[in-house]
Amino acid sequence: MILIVDDNPDNIYSLQKLLESKNFKVDTAHSGEEALKKILKYNYALIILDVQMPDMDGFEVAENIAGFSKTKETPIIFLSAVNTDKRFITKGYDSGGLDYVTKPVDPDILMLKVKTFYRLYEQTQALKDIQQALEMEVERRKQAQLELRSKVDYLHTLLESLPQIAFTCDHLGNIGFVNGRWFQFSDSENTFPQTHPDDRLIMAELQESLESGKPLEMEVRVKKRDESGYSYQLLRVWPILENGENNWVGTFTDIDAQKKAEQEKDEFLSIASHELKTPLTSIKAYMQLLDRKLSLDKNCPEAKYVGRVQDQVGKLNSLITDLLDISKIDNGKLRINKKVFSLERMVQNAIDSIVQTHDQSNMELYRQGDISGLMVYGDEIRLEQVLVNFLTNAYKYAAGTEKVIVDCSVMTDVVKVSVIDFGIGIPENKLSEVFDKFYRVEETSFDFQGLGIGLYICSEIIRSHQGTIAVESSAGKGATFYFTLPLNLPTDAE
Ligand code: ADP
């Protein structure tokens, strides 16, 4: 808006009409005092100021305007009868624009000047807006940085208070922060603790995680700085989103005592099962002798007891074998002797031995799927052990039902062997755990004997054959346990 200040209403009228005809918005004041009041109240893009006015002349008005910070940049065009010396009014009026138009006013000249000042005003205004927006942005960023800093400080305080060794690193694996405990294992805040020569390298494992974006969890032995040897630690590193970038937080948790206890338990299991095996083998041999002797006498009533003792000895034997297997798996010593063999023969052997040991059962065993002539590559004895385990479980957990099915199906590049029973089944939320070591489904563990290690051994055997093992089941609906084996025979296999 443009303010016209003139004591002569005729002048105001003609100027107002002229400006309005060019689409400018116009306000008017008839004296210097009125002008000052309006200028303080409203914002004007330009003031057209008559110099000769009674009471307060144009120069005085201009001097006052220059004194107010709000208005000192508003451009002014003086309308004067004569070209008066203007030096004294420019004093203190350093910004904005100043110009003169002499009366009688030439409308073209005036409009030219008005337009120039108006454009100048608009550009200044736009610049001001940009500056304001920039200032706000700078302020916002400063604030965000402060908030981030305080979050990082908070995170570091948290990490410092942890009982574990803790650190942060960026997406390239460069270590950022380490807490005080770090220096128990490393003498530099930039390098990871030294690991045992037989263990995987932390940096190599971490690199894989950083690339895939997946958290890292590994057990590793790290060297203590006090020269007292290595200590087992559980290293966990997981990503946190910070400032739009993935940064990582890691901890080393001391699991040394737990690891040692586990090792002692494994050693005990291994020794105990070895020691138990020796007398058991003698008992088995003597029982066989006794069985042969007593079965010669058809009327001997004790003969049937010998058979039962042999059954129990068989169960004891397989329990001890399982315990031995567990300790072998834990020590990485479970031997797998792979050869090419007939899968049909292996399946039939497993079925024969299970039917023999369950001759009291009323369950019918059915076969589905033709695999005659199919050769696979693996450890026949260990794979038979898996199938016998599935079948033993089926007879145990589906006792009293009518049938169990062994299904063999050949797919594109794998063969699948399933044991399907119609027994108590397994609740769906427990399915993922049945292959864990010592796991037994709580709801049924009191009703059935067992150690919860058979399926764990099976999964380890199948894993070392690059196969898959799984179960499909739900409570009360029976269970289907299956394993698959790859069908590609090695070119150099015998
Ligand atoms: P165990 O039978 O000696 O307890 P396993 O490792 O063979 O140990 O089986 C683990 C658990 O899985 C069992 O305790 C049982 O709860 C469940 N399970 C295994 N097979 C079956 C099945 N066929 N039906 C229902 N539950 C089963």
Side-chain angles (χ1 to χ4, degrees):
M1 187 143 66
I2 298 173
L3 177 67
I4 305 169
V5 189
D6 203 317
D7 60 322
N8 183 338
D10 292 343
N11 288 350
I12 287 189
Y13 182 79
S14 59
L15 259 178
Q16 188 171 8
K17 286 288 146 206
L18 175 68
L19 292 172
E20 282 175 349
S21 73
K22 304 287 179 205
N23 293 327
F24 287 107
K25 283 196 177 147
V26 176
D27 196 6
T28 57
H30 294 86
S31 67
E33 287 84 0
E34 191 189 350
L36 283 179
K37 274 184 204 155
K38 286 199 165 180
I39 288 164
L40 282 176
K41 211 163 165 192
Y42 309 110
N43 280 331
Y44 294 104
L46 172 68
I47 301 166
I48 300 176
L49 193 55
D50 182 25
V51 173
Q52 277 109 12
M53 287 188 294
D55 301 332
M56 187 186 274
D57 70 14
F59 296 144
E60 276 179 84
V61 175
E63 266 185 331
N64 275 305
I65 292 173
F68 307 135
S69 63
K70 172 176 180 267
T71 55
K72 73 177 190 194
E73 285 174 19
T74 316
I76 299 172
I77 297 176
F78 287 108
L79 299 182
S80 65
V82 280
N83 196 359
T84 324
D85 182 4
K86 59 189 185 257
R87 261 172 308 161
F88 70 101
I89 57 144
T90 55
K91 179 165 52 90
Y93 200 92
D94 43 16
S95 322
L98 275 183
D99 210 340
Y100 280 84
V101 174
T102 44
K103 290 182 182 171
V105 173
D106 176 339
D108 292 337
I109 301 276
L110 181 70
M111 275 325 295
L112 216 85
K113 295 192 176 198
V114 166
K115 277 184 187 160
T116 310
F117 278 120
Y118 208 89
R119 206 177 311 123
L120 193 78
Y121 169 80
E122 278 177 336
Q123 282 169 355
T124 316
Q125 228 29 56
L127 273 175
K128 267 191 192 161
D129 288 349
I130 292 172
Q131 191 185 357
Q132 206 175 11
L134 273 175
E135 275 169 6
M136 272 164 70
E137 180 61 21
V138 169
E139 196 47 46
R140 198 186 60 76
R141 285 190 188 197
K142 264 194 204 157
Q143 199 55 37
Q145 234 165 8
L146 270 177
E147 275 168 27
L148 191 71
R149 188 69 252 156
S150 80
K151 269 190 201 159
V152 170
D153 287 348
Y154 178 64
L155 174 73
H156 289 176
T157 317
L158 271 185
L159 294 182
E160 203 61 70
S161 67
L162 286 180
Q164 287 113 324
I165 297 168
F167 64 94
T168 63
C169 67
D170 66 11
H171 64 288
L172 298 173
N174 300 314
I175 301 167
F177 167 85
V178 297
N179 69 358
R181 290 174 216 279
W182 176 267
F183 298 101
Q184 292 168 9
F185 294 97
S186 175
D187 47 13
S188 156
E189 56 192 39
N190 299 320
T191 47
F192 280 107
Q194 193 183 328
T195 53
H196 191 278
D198 294 344
D199 287 352
R200 294 169 293 163
L201 285 176
I202 294 179
M203 206 49 209
E205 296 292 318
L206 183 60
Q207 212 61 48
E208 267 180 40
S209 282
L210 297 176
E211 273 161 30
S212 66
K214 290 199 184 115
L216 167 68
E217 186 166 319
M218 70 187 275
E219 289 180 2
V220 64
R221 280 166 290 177
V222 295
K223 195 163 188 208
K224 293 188 209 158
R225 275 181 73 205
D226 60 9
E227 301 295 323
S228 60
Y230 289 90
S231 148
Y232 260 107
Q233 301 282 326
L234 173 70
L235 168 63
R236 304 178 84 192
V237 193
W238 63 98
I240 47 165
L241 202 65
E242 197 184 285
N243 216 2
E245 250 182 36
N246 252 359
N247 283 309
W248 296 69
V249 176
T251 54
F252 285 91
T253 309
D254 194 335
I255 50 166
D256 210 42
Q258 185 187 328
K259 271 279 161 190
K260 288 208 173 98
E262 256 177 51
Q263 271 166 5
E264 279 163 14
K265 182 208 72 195
D266 290 343
E267 269 164 37
F268 170 76
L269 269 184
S270 164
I271 295 168
S273 42
H274 262 294
E275 293 300 314
L276 288 170
K277 201 95 201 191
T278 323
L280 196 69
T281 316
S282 310
I283 294 174
K284 254 169 96 178
Y286 285 121
M287 287 315 293
Q288 271 166 0
L289 278 177
L290 197 60
D291 187 37
R292 240 176 267 156
K293 187 133 203 317
L294 291 183
S295 55
L296 292 176
D297 178 1
K298 294 264 180 285
N299 299 322
C300 177
E302 286 79 19
K304 67 170 189 286
Y305 298 130
V306 175
R308 287 195 198 150
V309 173
Q310 275 181 316
D311 280 355
Q312 296 305 319
V313 170
K315 282 185 186 162
L316 199 56
N317 189 47
S318 69
L319 277 177
I320 294 170
T321 312
D322 278 358
L323 283 177
L324 256 176
D325 280 349
I326 284 268
S327 65
K328 282 184 195 157
I329 290 170
D330 291 341
N331 295 321
K333 288 182 186 152
L334 187 75
R335 290 251 299 277
I336 301 287
N337 297 315
K338 290 186 185 172
K339 285 200 173 82
V340 176
F341 67 91
S342 152
L343 189 65
E344 171 59 33
R345 184 182 64 206
M346 183 284 267
V347 172
Q348 203 46 54
N349 283 346
I351 291 176
D352 290 347
S353 79
I354 212 78
V355 170
Q356 212 182 350
T357 47
H358 292 81
D359 53 353
Q360 311 286 320
S361 167
N362 291 325
M363 261 212 265
E364 285 291 333
L365 197 148
Y366 295 94
R367 289 239 7 220
Q368 278 175 189
D370 180 14
I371 48 163
S372 48
L374 184 75
M375 303 303 280
V376 291
Y377 181 64
D379 186 327
E380 184 172 356
I381 296 173
R382 287 290 179 192
L383 290 169
E384 186 181 319
Q385 181 185 347
V386 174
L387 188 53
V388 167
N389 210 310
F390 282 3
L391 285 166
T392 312
N393 281 349
Y395 275 87
K396 181 156 73 169
Y397 297 104
T401 63
E402 285 171 10
K403 62 176 176 185
V404 53
I405 304 168
V406 176
D407 180 89
C408 301
S409 44
V410 181
M411 286 133 166
T412 325
D413 44 14
V414 293
V415 58
K416 180 175 173 187
V417 180
S418 318
V419 173
I420 306 157
D421 71 51
F422 303 89
I424 59 167
I426 301 167
E428 272 158 79
N429 59 344
K430 304 282 164 72
L431 288 178
S432 59
E433 288 165 279
V434 291
F435 296 101
D436 291 351
K437 189 162 43 166
F438 302 124
Y439 182 79
R440 310 200 68 224
V441 176
E442 253 164 45
E443 289 86 334
T444 51
S445 59
F446 288 116
D447 303 331
F448 300 91
Q449 285 180 341
L451 293 178
I453 53 180
L455 289 178
Y456 169 68
I457 296 170
C458 293
S459 71
E460 288 297 313
I461 294 173
I462 297 300
R463 201 166 57 86
S464 55
H465 282 80
Q466 286 75 48
T468 55
I469 187 165
V471 54
E472 287 160 6
S473 181
S474 57
K477 298 267 168 64
T480 299
F481 278 87
Y482 67 84
F483 66 84
T484 66
L485 289 176
L487 278 178
N488 50 333
L489 301 181
T491 42
D492 56 346
E494 315 128 43

